[in-house]
Amino acid sequence: MNPLVFALPIFFIAIAFEVWLLHRKKKLALYDLADALTSAHMGIFMLIFSVFINVAVYTVVYDNFRLAEWPMDSIVLWVLALLFYDFCYYWVHRLGHEVSFLWASHIVHHSSEYYNLSTALRQTASGKAVVWIFYLPMALMGVPPKMFVIVGLIDLLYQFWVHTELVGRMGWFDRVFVSPSNHRVHHGQNDYCIDKNYGGLLVIWDRMFGTFAEERVGEKITYGVRKPLQSYNILWGNLHYYVDLWKLAGQTKGWRAKLGVWMAPPGGWTDQPIEHFDEKNFTRFAPSSTLRGYAAAQSAVLLIFAVHCIAGAGNLPLAQGLGYGVLLGLSYMSIGLMLQGTSWARSLELVRVLGMGAGLAASANWFGFDMPMAARAAGVLWALTSAFFLMRQGKQTSMGVAA
Protein backbone atom coordinates (compact mmCIF):
# COMPACT_ATOMS: atom_id res chain seq x y z
CA MET A 1 0.00 0.00 0.00
CA ASN A 2 1.23 3.47 -0.87
CA PRO A 3 1.77 5.22 2.50
CA LEU A 4 0.69 8.52 0.94
CA VAL A 5 -2.91 7.28 1.08
CA PHE A 6 -2.77 8.05 4.80
CA ALA A 7 -1.59 11.59 4.05
CA LEU A 8 -4.53 12.40 1.75
CA PRO A 9 -6.91 13.43 4.58
CA ILE A 10 -4.20 15.72 6.01
CA PHE A 11 -3.66 17.30 2.58
CA PHE A 12 -7.35 18.05 2.10
CA ILE A 13 -7.78 19.37 5.65
CA ALA A 14 -4.80 21.69 5.09
CA ILE A 15 -6.27 22.88 1.78
CA ALA A 16 -9.61 23.59 3.47
CA PHE A 17 -7.80 25.54 6.19
CA GLU A 18 -5.90 27.57 3.58
CA VAL A 19 -9.17 28.37 1.79
CA TRP A 20 -10.67 29.50 5.11
CA LEU A 21 -7.69 31.75 5.81
CA LEU A 22 -7.85 33.22 2.32
CA HIS A 23 -11.57 33.87 2.79
CA ARG A 24 -10.84 35.76 6.00
CA LYS A 25 -8.12 37.76 4.27
CA LYS A 26 -10.42 38.36 1.27
CA LYS A 27 -7.93 36.67 -1.05
CA LEU A 28 -10.06 33.82 -2.36
CA ALA A 29 -9.03 34.81 -5.88
CA LEU A 30 -5.84 32.83 -5.17
CA TYR A 31 -7.98 29.70 -5.57
CA ASP A 32 -10.10 28.45 -8.42
CA LEU A 33 -12.36 25.45 -7.81
CA ALA A 34 -11.92 23.88 -11.23
CA ASP A 35 -8.14 24.29 -11.12
CA ALA A 36 -7.95 22.91 -7.56
CA LEU A 37 -10.11 19.92 -8.46
CA THR A 38 -7.90 19.21 -11.47
CA SER A 39 -4.80 19.31 -9.28
CA ALA A 40 -6.42 16.89 -6.83
CA HIS A 41 -7.49 14.59 -9.66
CA MET A 42 -3.96 14.52 -11.05
CA GLY A 43 -2.45 13.78 -7.66
CA ILE A 44 -4.87 10.94 -6.94
CA PHE A 45 -4.34 9.53 -10.44
CA MET A 46 -0.58 9.57 -9.80
CA LEU A 47 -1.10 7.62 -6.58
CA ILE A 48 -3.31 5.10 -8.39
CA PHE A 49 -0.70 4.70 -11.13
CA SER A 50 2.09 4.30 -8.58
CA VAL A 51 0.35 1.25 -7.10
CA PHE A 52 1.76 -0.69 -10.03
CA ILE A 53 5.30 0.74 -9.78
CA ASN A 54 7.33 -0.28 -6.75
CA VAL A 55 10.94 -0.20 -5.60
CA ALA A 56 11.71 -3.64 -7.00
CA VAL A 57 14.63 -2.46 -9.17
CA TYR A 58 16.12 -0.49 -6.28
CA THR A 59 15.90 -3.60 -4.10
CA VAL A 60 17.56 -5.78 -6.74
CA VAL A 61 20.47 -3.35 -7.07
CA TYR A 62 20.75 -3.07 -3.29
CA ASP A 63 20.70 -6.85 -2.80
CA ASN A 64 23.24 -7.64 -5.50
CA PHE A 65 25.51 -4.65 -6.05
CA ARG A 66 25.71 -2.56 -2.87
CA LEU A 67 29.19 -1.55 -1.81
CA ALA A 68 28.28 -1.22 1.87
CA GLU A 69 25.30 -1.60 4.20
CA TRP A 70 23.91 1.22 6.30
CA PRO A 71 22.58 0.12 9.71
CA MET A 72 19.10 1.47 10.43
CA ASP A 73 19.67 2.11 14.13
CA SER A 74 21.87 5.19 13.61
CA ILE A 75 20.22 8.63 13.70
CA VAL A 76 23.27 10.10 11.96
CA LEU A 77 22.88 7.70 9.04
CA TRP A 78 19.16 8.50 8.78
CA VAL A 79 20.02 12.19 8.49
CA LEU A 80 22.72 11.41 5.90
CA ALA A 81 20.24 9.25 3.95
CA LEU A 82 17.78 12.17 3.88
CA LEU A 83 20.51 14.52 2.64
CA PHE A 84 21.60 11.90 0.07
CA TYR A 85 18.01 11.58 -1.17
CA ASP A 86 17.56 15.35 -1.35
CA PHE A 87 20.79 15.68 -3.35
CA CYS A 88 19.54 13.05 -5.82
CA TYR A 89 16.18 14.80 -5.93
CA TYR A 90 17.85 18.08 -6.86
CA TRP A 91 19.35 16.45 -9.95
CA VAL A 92 16.17 14.57 -10.83
CA HIS A 93 14.28 17.84 -10.59
CA ARG A 94 16.87 19.85 -12.48
CA LEU A 95 17.08 17.35 -15.33
CA GLY A 96 13.29 17.33 -15.39
CA HIS A 97 13.57 20.95 -16.56
CA GLU A 98 16.64 20.57 -18.78
CA VAL A 99 15.84 17.41 -20.78
CA SER A 100 12.76 17.52 -22.99
CA PHE A 101 11.45 14.00 -22.49
CA LEU A 102 11.77 14.42 -18.72
CA TRP A 103 10.12 17.85 -18.90
CA ALA A 104 7.25 16.16 -20.75
CA SER A 105 6.55 14.37 -17.49
CA HIS A 106 7.36 17.14 -15.00
CA ILE A 107 5.43 19.84 -16.84
CA VAL A 108 2.29 18.43 -15.21
CA HIS A 109 3.30 19.92 -11.88
CA HIS A 110 3.83 23.37 -13.41
CA SER A 111 0.65 23.48 -15.48
CA SER A 112 -1.52 25.16 -12.83
CA GLU A 113 -1.85 28.91 -13.19
CA TYR A 114 -2.52 29.23 -9.45
CA TYR A 115 -0.16 28.72 -6.53
CA ASN A 116 -1.73 27.23 -3.43
CA LEU A 117 -1.67 23.99 -1.46
CA SER A 118 -3.80 22.21 -4.06
CA THR A 119 -1.04 22.87 -6.61
CA ALA A 120 1.23 20.57 -4.59
CA LEU A 121 -1.09 17.67 -5.44
CA ARG A 122 -0.70 18.21 -9.20
CA GLN A 123 1.82 15.46 -9.85
CA THR A 124 2.88 13.45 -12.89
CA ALA A 125 1.87 9.84 -13.39
CA SER A 126 4.41 9.04 -16.12
CA GLY A 127 7.43 10.27 -14.16
CA LYS A 128 7.26 7.29 -11.80
CA ALA A 129 8.40 5.06 -14.65
CA VAL A 130 11.71 6.91 -15.10
CA VAL A 131 12.95 8.80 -12.04
CA TRP A 132 13.87 5.69 -10.01
CA ILE A 133 17.04 5.47 -12.11
CA PHE A 134 18.46 8.59 -10.49
CA TYR A 135 18.19 7.12 -6.99
CA LEU A 136 20.18 3.96 -7.74
CA PRO A 137 23.40 5.53 -6.35
CA MET A 138 21.73 5.27 -2.96
CA ALA A 139 21.21 1.53 -3.50
CA LEU A 140 24.82 1.11 -4.63
CA MET A 141 26.06 2.91 -1.52
CA GLY A 142 24.02 0.59 0.68
CA VAL A 143 20.99 2.63 1.80
CA PRO A 144 18.40 -0.05 2.70
CA PRO A 145 15.14 0.02 0.69
CA LYS A 146 13.06 0.72 3.81
CA MET A 147 15.27 3.68 4.73
CA PHE A 148 15.12 4.90 1.11
CA VAL A 149 11.30 4.82 1.06
CA ILE A 150 10.95 6.60 4.41
CA VAL A 151 13.37 9.45 3.69
CA GLY A 152 11.76 9.81 0.26
CA LEU A 153 8.37 10.24 1.89
CA ILE A 154 9.78 12.79 4.34
CA ASP A 155 11.27 14.78 1.45
CA LEU A 156 8.04 14.62 -0.56
CA LEU A 157 5.72 15.48 2.33
CA TYR A 158 7.89 18.45 3.28
CA GLN A 159 7.33 19.95 -0.17
CA PHE A 160 3.56 20.15 0.32
CA TRP A 161 3.52 23.16 2.64
CA VAL A 162 5.75 25.39 0.50
CA HIS A 163 3.04 25.69 -2.17
CA THR A 164 1.32 28.74 -0.69
CA GLU A 165 1.21 32.51 -1.07
CA LEU A 166 0.13 33.00 2.53
CA VAL A 167 3.68 32.73 3.92
CA GLY A 168 6.06 35.57 3.08
CA ARG A 169 9.82 35.83 3.38
CA MET A 170 11.38 33.88 6.26
CA GLY A 171 14.86 35.40 6.63
CA TRP A 172 17.68 32.91 7.22
CA PHE A 173 15.29 29.97 6.61
CA ASP A 174 14.95 31.03 2.94
CA ARG A 175 18.72 30.80 2.55
CA VAL A 176 18.99 27.21 3.79
CA PHE A 177 15.70 25.41 3.23
CA VAL A 178 13.17 25.29 0.43
CA SER A 179 10.53 27.79 1.53
CA PRO A 180 7.30 29.21 0.08
CA SER A 181 9.24 32.27 -1.09
CA ASN A 182 11.91 30.53 -3.11
CA HIS A 183 9.56 27.82 -4.36
CA ARG A 184 7.20 30.47 -5.68
CA VAL A 185 10.10 31.54 -7.87
CA HIS A 186 10.43 27.99 -9.15
CA HIS A 187 6.80 27.99 -10.33
CA GLY A 188 6.94 31.39 -11.99
CA GLN A 189 6.85 32.26 -15.69
CA ASN A 190 8.71 35.53 -15.13
CA ASP A 191 12.05 35.72 -16.92
CA TYR A 192 14.14 35.51 -13.75
CA CYS A 193 12.15 32.49 -12.49
CA ILE A 194 12.84 30.11 -15.37
CA ASP A 195 14.81 26.99 -14.30
CA LYS A 196 15.57 28.15 -10.76
CA ASN A 197 15.31 26.71 -7.24
CA TYR A 198 15.16 22.95 -7.80
CA GLY A 199 15.74 21.81 -4.21
CA GLY A 200 13.21 19.61 -2.43
CA LEU A 201 14.19 20.08 1.20
CA LEU A 202 17.34 22.21 1.01
CA VAL A 203 17.94 25.19 -1.26
CA ILE A 204 21.67 24.89 -0.52
CA TRP A 205 22.09 22.69 -3.61
CA ASP A 206 20.81 25.56 -5.79
CA ARG A 207 23.30 27.93 -4.19
CA MET A 208 26.11 25.41 -4.76
CA PHE A 209 25.30 24.78 -8.43
CA GLY A 210 24.23 28.27 -9.50
CA THR A 211 20.49 27.75 -9.91
CA PHE A 212 19.23 29.90 -7.02
CA ALA A 213 17.11 33.01 -7.50
CA GLU A 214 15.62 35.11 -4.74
CA GLU A 215 12.01 36.25 -4.92
CA ARG A 216 11.93 39.85 -6.10
CA VAL A 217 10.11 42.45 -4.11
CA GLY A 218 7.67 44.43 -6.22
CA GLU A 219 7.52 42.00 -9.17
CA LYS A 220 4.41 39.87 -9.07
CA ILE A 221 5.01 36.25 -10.03
CA THR A 222 2.77 34.77 -12.72
CA TYR A 223 2.40 31.01 -12.42
CA GLY A 224 2.10 28.30 -15.05
CA VAL A 225 4.00 27.47 -18.24
CA ARG A 226 4.72 29.58 -21.29
CA LYS A 227 2.57 27.35 -23.50
CA PRO A 228 -0.52 27.03 -21.27
CA LEU A 229 -2.25 23.69 -20.86
CA GLN A 230 -5.77 25.18 -21.08
CA SER A 231 -7.42 21.93 -20.11
CA TYR A 232 -8.86 20.17 -17.06
CA ASN A 233 -8.48 16.77 -18.75
CA ILE A 234 -6.00 14.84 -16.59
CA LEU A 235 -5.01 12.45 -19.39
CA TRP A 236 -4.22 15.29 -21.76
CA GLY A 237 -2.46 17.08 -18.92
CA ASN A 238 -0.13 14.09 -18.55
CA LEU A 239 0.41 13.46 -22.26
CA HIS A 240 0.23 16.77 -24.16
CA TYR A 241 3.96 17.55 -24.17
CA TYR A 242 4.83 14.00 -25.26
CA VAL A 243 2.47 14.56 -28.20
CA ASP A 244 4.23 17.84 -29.03
CA LEU A 245 7.64 16.13 -28.97
CA TRP A 246 6.38 13.22 -31.08
CA LYS A 247 5.00 15.59 -33.73
CA LEU A 248 8.19 17.66 -33.75
CA ALA A 249 10.39 14.60 -34.03
CA GLY A 250 8.28 13.44 -36.98
CA GLN A 251 8.89 16.74 -38.74
CA THR A 252 12.65 16.64 -38.08
CA LYS A 253 15.02 14.97 -40.55
CA GLY A 254 17.84 12.67 -39.45
CA TRP A 255 17.95 10.35 -36.46
CA ARG A 256 20.39 12.58 -34.55
CA ALA A 257 18.05 15.54 -34.87
CA LYS A 258 15.07 13.38 -33.90
CA LEU A 259 16.93 12.16 -30.82
CA GLY A 260 17.87 15.75 -30.04
CA VAL A 261 14.20 16.73 -29.90
CA TRP A 262 13.77 14.37 -26.96
CA MET A 263 17.12 14.90 -25.25
CA ALA A 264 17.75 18.64 -25.72
CA PRO A 265 16.43 21.23 -23.25
CA PRO A 266 12.81 22.24 -23.90
CA GLY A 267 12.94 24.38 -27.01
CA GLY A 268 16.66 23.64 -27.33
CA TRP A 269 16.30 22.12 -30.80
CA THR A 270 16.01 25.69 -32.10
CA ASP A 271 18.49 28.53 -31.79
CA GLN A 272 15.82 30.96 -30.66
CA PRO A 273 16.28 32.45 -27.14
CA ILE A 274 13.46 32.16 -24.64
CA GLU A 275 10.95 34.89 -25.33
CA HIS A 276 10.52 37.70 -22.83
CA PHE A 277 7.47 37.18 -20.63
CA ASP A 278 4.99 40.03 -20.57
CA GLU A 279 2.33 39.68 -17.87
CA LYS A 280 0.03 41.99 -19.84
CA ASN A 281 -0.39 39.25 -22.47
CA PHE A 282 -1.26 36.57 -19.91
CA THR A 283 -4.84 35.43 -19.36
CA ARG A 284 -5.76 32.61 -17.03
CA PHE A 285 -7.68 29.66 -18.41
CA ALA A 286 -11.18 30.07 -16.96
CA PRO A 287 -13.98 28.55 -19.05
CA SER A 288 -17.45 29.25 -17.71
CA SER A 289 -19.22 26.19 -16.31
CA THR A 290 -22.47 25.69 -14.41
CA LEU A 291 -21.32 22.25 -13.25
CA ARG A 292 -18.60 23.15 -10.75
CA GLY A 293 -20.73 22.14 -7.78
CA TYR A 294 -21.60 18.86 -9.46
CA ALA A 295 -17.89 18.25 -10.20
CA ALA A 296 -16.94 18.91 -6.57
CA ALA A 297 -19.63 16.52 -5.31
CA GLN A 298 -18.58 13.79 -7.76
CA SER A 299 -14.93 14.26 -6.82
CA ALA A 300 -15.80 13.82 -3.13
CA VAL A 301 -17.59 10.54 -3.83
CA LEU A 302 -14.84 9.30 -6.14
CA LEU A 303 -12.28 9.95 -3.40
CA ILE A 304 -13.78 7.01 -1.48
CA PHE A 305 -13.26 4.72 -4.47
CA ALA A 306 -9.79 6.15 -5.13
CA VAL A 307 -8.61 5.49 -1.57
CA HIS A 308 -9.94 1.93 -1.86
CA CYS A 309 -8.10 1.48 -5.17
CA ILE A 310 -4.80 2.87 -3.84
CA ALA A 311 -5.06 0.75 -0.70
CA GLY A 312 -6.07 -2.51 -2.32
CA ALA A 313 -5.44 -2.61 -6.07
CA GLY A 314 -1.93 -4.00 -5.56
CA ASN A 315 -3.48 -7.12 -4.01
CA LEU A 316 -5.83 -7.72 -6.96
CA PRO A 317 -4.99 -9.69 -10.13
CA LEU A 318 -3.05 -7.33 -12.40
CA ALA A 319 -5.79 -7.01 -15.04
CA GLN A 320 -8.45 -6.31 -12.42
CA GLY A 321 -6.30 -3.78 -10.59
CA LEU A 322 -5.41 -1.98 -13.83
CA GLY A 323 -9.07 -2.01 -14.83
CA TYR A 324 -9.98 -0.31 -11.56
CA GLY A 325 -7.28 2.31 -12.10
CA VAL A 326 -8.43 2.95 -15.69
CA LEU A 327 -12.05 3.31 -14.54
CA LEU A 328 -11.10 5.98 -12.01
CA GLY A 329 -8.77 7.71 -14.48
CA LEU A 330 -11.59 7.92 -17.03
CA SER A 331 -13.91 9.20 -14.30
CA TYR A 332 -11.57 12.08 -13.49
CA MET A 333 -11.13 12.75 -17.20
CA SER A 334 -14.90 12.90 -17.66
CA ILE A 335 -15.31 15.41 -14.82
CA GLY A 336 -12.50 17.55 -16.22
CA LEU A 337 -14.05 17.60 -19.68
CA MET A 338 -17.32 18.83 -18.19
CA LEU A 339 -15.54 21.57 -16.28
CA GLN A 340 -13.98 22.89 -19.47
CA GLY A 341 -17.27 22.74 -21.36
CA THR A 342 -16.51 20.00 -23.91
CA SER A 343 -19.69 19.46 -25.95
CA TRP A 344 -19.92 15.68 -25.56
CA ALA A 345 -18.71 15.55 -21.94
CA ARG A 346 -22.20 15.34 -20.44
CA SER A 347 -22.98 12.23 -22.52
CA LEU A 348 -19.72 10.60 -21.41
CA GLU A 349 -20.46 11.48 -17.78
CA LEU A 350 -23.96 10.03 -18.07
CA VAL A 351 -22.52 6.75 -19.35
CA ARG A 352 -19.95 6.78 -16.53
CA VAL A 353 -22.33 7.27 -13.62
CA LEU A 354 -24.90 4.80 -14.96
CA GLY A 355 -22.12 2.26 -15.66
CA MET A 356 -20.74 2.54 -12.13
CA GLY A 357 -24.27 2.32 -10.71
CA ALA A 358 -24.96 -0.82 -12.74
CA GLY A 359 -21.68 -2.33 -11.54
CA LEU A 360 -22.59 -1.67 -7.92
CA ALA A 361 -26.07 -3.13 -8.42
CA ALA A 362 -24.88 -6.24 -10.26
CA SER A 363 -22.18 -7.47 -7.89
CA ALA A 364 -21.66 -7.44 -4.14
CA ASN A 365 -17.90 -7.71 -4.66
CA TRP A 366 -16.44 -4.38 -5.77
CA PHE A 367 -12.86 -5.00 -6.83
CA GLY A 368 -12.09 -7.28 -3.90
CA PHE A 369 -14.35 -5.53 -1.38
CA ASP A 370 -17.53 -7.26 -0.18
CA MET A 371 -19.75 -4.21 -0.17
CA PRO A 372 -22.66 -4.20 2.29
CA MET A 373 -26.14 -3.94 0.81
CA ALA A 374 -26.66 -0.48 2.32
CA ALA A 375 -23.47 0.82 0.67
CA ARG A 376 -24.47 -0.71 -2.68
CA ALA A 377 -27.93 0.86 -2.43
CA ALA A 378 -26.39 4.24 -1.62
CA GLY A 379 -24.07 3.92 -4.61
CA VAL A 380 -26.92 3.08 -6.97
CA LEU A 381 -28.98 5.98 -5.60
CA TRP A 382 -25.98 8.29 -6.09
CA ALA A 383 -25.66 7.12 -9.72
CA LEU A 384 -29.36 7.58 -10.49
CA THR A 385 -29.46 11.01 -8.84
CA SER A 386 -26.39 12.07 -10.82
CA ALA A 387 -27.93 10.81 -14.07
CA PHE A 388 -31.20 12.65 -13.36
CA PHE A 389 -29.29 15.87 -12.67
CA LEU A 390 -27.29 15.54 -15.90
CA MET A 391 -30.38 14.89 -18.02
CA ARG A 392 -32.18 17.82 -16.43
CA GLN A 393 -29.20 20.10 -17.04
CA GLY A 394 -29.07 18.87 -20.63
CA LYS A 395 -32.71 19.76 -21.17
CA GLN A 396 -32.28 23.21 -19.66
CA THR A 397 -29.25 23.83 -21.88
CA SER A 398 -31.15 22.67 -24.97
CA MET A 399 -34.10 24.93 -24.13
CA GLY A 400 -31.70 27.83 -23.60
CA VAL A 401 -30.08 27.24 -26.98
CA ALA A 402 -33.47 26.91 -28.67
CA ALA A 403 -34.67 30.14 -27.09
Side-chain angles (χ1 to χ4, degrees), residues 23-59:
H23 173 70
R24 290 195 63 185
K25 293 176 177 289
K26 298 182 179 180
K27 293 182 177 180
L28 270 180
L30 297 180
Y31 259 90
D32 176 76
L33 178 61
D35 180 85
L37 286 174
T38 302
S39 294
H41 295 167
M42 286 183 169
I44 294 169
F45 182 62
M46 178 275 290
L47 290 177
I48 293 170
F49 187 81
S50 68
V51 169
F52 305 99
I53 300 176
N54 53 37
V55 294
V57 178
Y58 184 98
T59 302

Side-chain angles (χ1 to χ4, degrees), residues 17-231:
F17 181 65
E18 184 184 39
V19 170
W20 177 75
L21 283 177
L22 289 171
H23 173 70
R24 290 195 63 185
K25 293 176 177 289
K26 298 182 179 180
K27 293 182 177 180
L28 270 180
L30 297 180
Y31 259 90
D32 176 76
L33 178 61
D35 180 85
L37 286 174
T38 302
S39 294
H41 295 167
M42 286 183 169
I44 294 169
F45 182 62
M46 178 275 290
L47 290 177
I48 293 170
F49 187 81
S50 68
V51 169
F52 305 99
I53 300 176
N54 53 37
V55 294
V57 178
Y58 184 98
T59 302
V60 168
V61 173
Y62 172 81
D63 288 341
N64 295 281
F65 302 104
R66 68 178 183 270
L67 302 176
E69 185 170 355
W70 294 31
M72 295 183 60
D73 57 357
S74 170
I75 295 178
V76 173
L77 289 180
W78 276 95
V79 173
L80 289 176
L82 180 58
L83 294 175
F84 196 169
Y85 183 95
D86 200 54
F87 178 76
C88 292
Y89 175 85
Y90 168 85
W91 288 104
V92 170
H93 197 180
R94 180 170 176 172
L95 291 173
H97 283 252
E98 296 181 352
V99 179
S100 284
F101 86 92
L102 295 176
W103 175 242
S105 168
H106 185 60
I107 194 174
V108 173
H109 183 56
H110 287 263
S111 59
S112 174
E113 295 171 351
Y114 293 81
Y115 191 79
N116 50 58
L117 290 179
S118 74
T119 308
L121 304 183
R122 188 176 288 229
Q123 299 289 334
T124 174
S126 63
K128 296 293 180 182
V130 178
V131 298
W132 56 267
I133 297 172
F134 298 95
Y135 295 103
L136 292 184
M138 296 183 68
L140 291 171
M141 294 302 294
V143 178
K146 185 176 181 180
M147 183 181 283
F148 166 73
V149 170
I150 292 173
V151 297
L153 283 172
I154 293 171
D155 202 275
L156 180 62
L157 292 172
Y158 174 86
Q159 295 174 47
F160 174 74
W161 81 278
V162 302
H163 293 82
T164 183
E165 292 195 72
L166 281 175
V167 180
R169 303 287 288 274
M170 300 177 68
W172 68 267
F173 191 90
D174 292 335
R175 296 189 290 273
V176 179
F177 294 95
V178 172
S179 66
S181 177
N182 53 47
H183 201 63
R184 285 193 288 269
V185 172
H186 178 72
H187 275 259
Q189 294 191 54
N190 307 47
D191 294 345
Y192 84 95
C193 297
I194 300 298
D195 297 339
K196 299 296 182 183
N197 300 358
Y198 296 117
L201 175 64
L202 298 174
V203 79
I204 292 173
W205 313 123
D206 291 286
R207 292 181 176 276
M208 288 174 60
F209 299 110
T211 54
F212 178 76
E214 193 170 17
E215 186 177 23
R216 294 180 180 177
V217 178
E219 182 175 340
K220 179 184 176 183
I221 295 179
T222 301
Y223 303 103
V225 289
R226 293 291 181 88
K227 182 183 178 182
L229 174 61
Q230 295 188 323
S231 175

